[in-house]
């Protein structure tokens, strides 16, 4: 039973946001992975807004949020942690959604082709994540100022300043070591030649005003991953799941409804 998973996560010191209503594992399970220096908290509007349609589980990566332990030094290490965790939970009907670095982690997991993975949603990410050298230097030399700079560029023009301040707070809470390691892992990530091997249904979403992972990166992903669909969200920057959560939730719900038709198990699923 999926609701029993929360006891296991609590025992293992893994942080999460969750709404799990399906004891039999018939409904899709949307597993959400945050970006560099983030936490499951960034997915609050998805956990709340999509739980009537599917089971929702947003995870804190190691060293982030309420998950114990140290952060990882590479995207492949984060991907291995995620794949091992979901396999240990005997998850099924999984739709894996990752944002930015979390999208890279999701791609890494998808390339391992676990049997529980049925669909992939990549939000504000790319097959290669290049980080400006001044940001990497700044995270060492002037952490607080660099975090503020990152967050100013993470949101679109119409974003509320409260969102920017909260983003700064969450990233600072992760700590300088973890945040720097995350951005270094992003800089080293390059699966340009491998992502074409992803064989599950895929939605690629991006804010039209995204300055950190601009829309051309998402367009390239969509061209490379066979059968994938591109959704550009108007009026949103990099933090699209916060800035335009209703629009993103609508895209996710429609995508999962189409994917659900491919699954023989359980009653029809409708958005």
């Amino acid at each position: 039973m999926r609701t029993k998973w929360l006891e296991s996560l609590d025992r293992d010191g893994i942080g999460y946001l969750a709404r799990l209503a399906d004891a039999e594992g018939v409904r899709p399970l949307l597993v959400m992975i945050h970006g560099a220096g983030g936490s499951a908290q960034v997915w609050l509007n998805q956990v709340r807004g999509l739980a009537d349609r599917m089971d929702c589980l947003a995870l804190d990566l190691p060293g982030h949020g309420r998950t114990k332990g140290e952060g990882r030094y590479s995207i492949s290490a984060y991907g291995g942690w995620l794949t091992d965790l979901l396999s240990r939970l005997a998850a099924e009907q999984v739709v894996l959604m990752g944002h930015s670095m979390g999208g890279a982690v999701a791609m890494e997991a998808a390339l391992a082709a676990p049997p529980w993975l049925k669909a992939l949603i990549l939000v504000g990410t790319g097959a290669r994540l290049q980080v400006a050298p001044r940001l990497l230097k700044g995270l060492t030399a002037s952490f607080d100022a660099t975090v503020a700079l990152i967050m100013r560029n993470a949101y679109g023009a119409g974003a509320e300043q409260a969102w920017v301040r909260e983003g700064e707070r969450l990233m600072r809470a992760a700590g300088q070591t973890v945040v720097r390691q995350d951005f270094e892992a992003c800089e080293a990530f390059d699966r340009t030649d491998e992502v074409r091997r992803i064989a599950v249904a895929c939605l690629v979403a991006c804010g039209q005003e995204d300055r950190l992972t601009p829309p051309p990166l998402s367009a390239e992903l969509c061209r490379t991953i066979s059968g994938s669909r591109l959704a550009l969200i108007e009026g949103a920057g990099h933090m699209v799941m916060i800035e335009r959560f209703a629009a993103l939730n609508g895209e996710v719900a429609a995508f999962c409804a189409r994917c659900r038709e491919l699954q023989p198990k359980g009653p029809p699923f409708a958005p």
Side-chain angles (χ1 to χ4, degrees), residues 152-184:
R152 284 198 301 272
N153 284 278
Y155 287 87
E160 296 182 17
Q161 286 306 300
W163 298 344
V164 179
R165 291 193 295 272
E166 178 63 7
E168 291 180 24
R169 187 192 69 79
L170 287 174
M171 187 168 283
R172 289 192 182 107
Q176 184 175 23
T177 298
V178 167
V179 174
R180 187 179 64 246
Q181 285 175 185
D182 282 355
F183 276 87
E184 289 172 348

Side-chain angles (χ1 to χ4, degrees), residues 130-150:
Q130 294 176 291
V131 180
R134 67 175 180 140
L135 291 184
L136 293 176
K137 292 178 182 177
L139 288 171
T140 298
S142 183
F143 179 65
D144 286 349
T146 303
V147 167
L149 175 63
I150 291 168

Side-chain angles (χ1 to χ4, degrees), residues 66-172:
R66 294 183 292 111
T67 296
K68 296 178 181 178
E70 299 180 349
R72 302 298 191 257
Y73 287 90
S74 68
I75 301 301
S76 61
Y78 280 126
W81 175 87
L82 176 63
T83 301
D84 290 346
L85 173 63
L86 293 176
S87 297
R88 179 164 54 82
L89 293 174
E92 57 181 0
Q93 299 290 100
V94 172
V95 179
L96 192 55
M97 177 159 69
H99 171 250
S100 197
M101 184 187 82
V105 174
M107 283 183 268
E108 200 72 28
L111 286 168
W116 40 258
L117 182 62
K118 302 303 179 185
L120 189 63
I121 302 174
L122 303 174
V123 183
T125 191
R128 184 180 183 189
L129 296 176
Q130 294 176 291
V131 180
R134 67 175 180 140
L135 291 184
L136 293 176
K137 292 178 182 177
L139 288 171
T140 298
S142 183
F143 179 65
D144 286 349
T146 303
V147 167
L149 175 63
I150 291 168
M151 283 300 138
R152 284 198 301 272
N153 284 278
Y155 287 87
E160 296 182 17
Q161 286 306 300
W163 298 344
V164 179
R165 291 193 295 272
E166 178 63 7
E168 291 180 24
R169 187 192 69 79
L170 287 174
M171 187 168 283
R172 289 192 182 107

